[in-house]
Amino acid sequence: MATPSVPVDPARRAVIKQGISVAIATGLYGISFGALAVASGLTIWQTCVTSLLLFSGGSQFALIGVLGGGGGVGAAVAASSLLGVRNTLYGLQLTSTMAPRGLWRVPVAQLTIDESTAVAIAQDAPPNRRLGFWVTGIGIYVGWNVMTLVGALVGDAIGDPKQYGLDAAASAAFIALLWPRLKSRQPMAVAIAAAVVAATLVPVVPVGIPVIAAALVAVLVGLFTRQSTPEPQRPEGTTP
């Protein structure tokens, strides 16, 4: 006698499909980081450990961008850390949905990135939000680290990166990460202001400092915008 099949919830199936699609597209990009990291002076194992522990595309490209340009470790870490602050904000946004307890906080924190947050908050029901977060986060983590290793092996095999123009590719890759987020006037204005600040400081300060200064521009704009936003007025007769 045939076992009756259990119908799959179309909404959950759509979430899984979306998460896998995002994971594949993002994970494949890890090959660029692997090749560029080796070209910037990291060893293969250092490159892989960076993806395993840091696991944040923007922060990782900022790190190797500063190192590849001759900057010190301190400046590279500072630039990477400033860009990683956004993941803390994502975590605050996902706290009510994920509600991590105990040791579960570790994988939730590690997988809280741009893509897993975007897929999660795009869903209506909390169970689907959690499903989208886990499918996207785990898929990207596995794919990103596998492709990082592949890219590192390829980058190590090709020799001098300047022969192929890879010495400038980190900046191009970082711009590719930034470009899709410039969808309104304010992000574009912040990006232009940060670029002007960085370009002005490049001839006069050590490598890495312009990146940190550019990131501070965005932080200051964000703080100013938050403070200047008026609070919604409460109807008369209501208590706070």
Side-chain angles (χ1 to χ4, degrees), residues 191-207:
I192 293 173
V196 170
V197 169
T200 303
L201 293 177
V202 164
V204 295
V205 299
V207 175

Side-chain angles (χ1 to χ4, degrees), residues 11-41:
R12 289 178 64 83
R13 183 166 52 192
V15 173
I16 294 173
K17 182 178 180 181
Q18 182 181 15
I20 292 175
S21 299
V22 172
I24 292 175
T26 306
L28 288 173
Y29 199 53
I31 195 170
S32 298
F33 171 74
L36 295 173
V38 172
S40 298

Side-chain angles (χ1 to χ4, degrees), residues 49-71:
V49 169
T50 300
S51 281
L52 284 169
L53 299 182
L54 184 54
F55 187 54
S56 177
S59 297
Q60 290 180 236
F61 278 110
L63 179 73
I64 63 174
V66 174
L67 292 177

Side-chain angles (χ1 to χ4, degrees), residues 41-131:
L42 272 65
T43 64
I44 293 177
W45 77 266
Q46 287 173 333
T47 299
C48 292
V49 169
T50 300
S51 281
L52 284 169
L53 299 182
L54 184 54
F55 187 54
S56 177
S59 297
Q60 290 180 236
F61 278 110
L63 179 73
I64 63 174
V66 174
L67 292 177
V73 174
V77 172
S80 176
S81 299
L82 282 172
L83 288 170
V85 169
R86 71 188 191 282
N87 290 348
T88 303
L89 302 178
Y90 295 157
L92 294 175
Q93 191 173 12
L94 292 172
T95 297
S96 60
T97 297
M98 303 305 297
R101 297 177 180 273
L103 293 178
W104 280 107
R105 295 176 181 176
V106 176
V108 169
Q110 182 71 345
L111 298 179
T112 300
I113 56 176
D114 296 345
E115 293 79 7
S116 61
T117 302
V119 173
I121 64 177
Q123 315 308 321
D124 295 329
N128 288 341
R129 290 180 182 175
R130 289 189 288 270
L131 177 63

